[in-house]
Amino acid sequence: MLRGATVTKLSSVKTEASLVKHYEVGVDSQIDQLHMEAAIYQSKSTLGTSTKLDENTGIYQPVREPQTIQGFEMLVDYTLPSGQVLGATYSHVEGKN
C-alpha cells in the first residue's frame, strides 16, 4: 500500500499492524470409496485495509476500517474400482468493510 506514498523517507510512513481474529472448524469423513471434507471460517479485524479514490489527486489511498471475511469450503472425492479418483471442490468467500 505504498504506491501512493508521498513521503521521501520510508521511516516517515506511519503504519499499524492489522490484528486479525480467525476462527475455523472443519470435518473430514471416509465412507468406503467416498471421501468428504467441509470447513467454515470467519476472520475479523478492526483495522482492515481497503482503498478509496482521492478525487483531487486521482490516487487510490489506503483506508483503515473494520473488516469481516467469512466463507466455507467443501470437497468430495470418489475412488473408482480402477483406482482413478474423481473429485470436486467448492468454496465461497465474502467480505465486508
Side-chain angles (χ1 to χ4, degrees):
M1 295 307 265
L2 295 176
R3 290 186 186 124
T6 56
V7 296
T8 56
K9 292 184 350 185
L10 190 57
S11 61
S12 300
V13 177
K14 303 223 184 300
T15 61
E16 187 174 346
S18 294
L19 300 177
V20 178
K21 291 182 180 179
H22 181 80
Y23 306 95
E24 183 169 350
V25 64
V27 295
D28 187 334
S29 181
Q30 180 81 35
I31 303 171
D32 296 325
Q33 288 79 24
L34 183 65
H35 174 237
M36 300 170 285
E37 295 179 18
I40 58 173
Y41 53 89
Q42 182 178 59
S43 297
K44 288 186 170 192
S45 174
T46 57
L47 280 178
T49 304
S50 64
T51 57
K52 183 177 181 182
L53 177 63
D54 183 333
E55 298 288 340
N56 297 323
T57 64
I59 297 173
Y60 282 89
Q61 298 293 330
V63 177
R64 303 303 294 264
E65 59 189 4
Q67 187 174 57
T68 300
I69 299 171
Q70 55 193 15
F72 64 92
E73 302 173 349
M74 297 183 296
L75 171 139
V76 176
D77 286 336
Y78 183 80
T79 304
L80 300 171
S82 65
Q84 291 180 316
V85 178
L86 296 176
T89 60
Y90 178 78
S91 65
H92 176 81
V93 178
E94 61 182 50
K96 296 179 185 176
N97 284 0

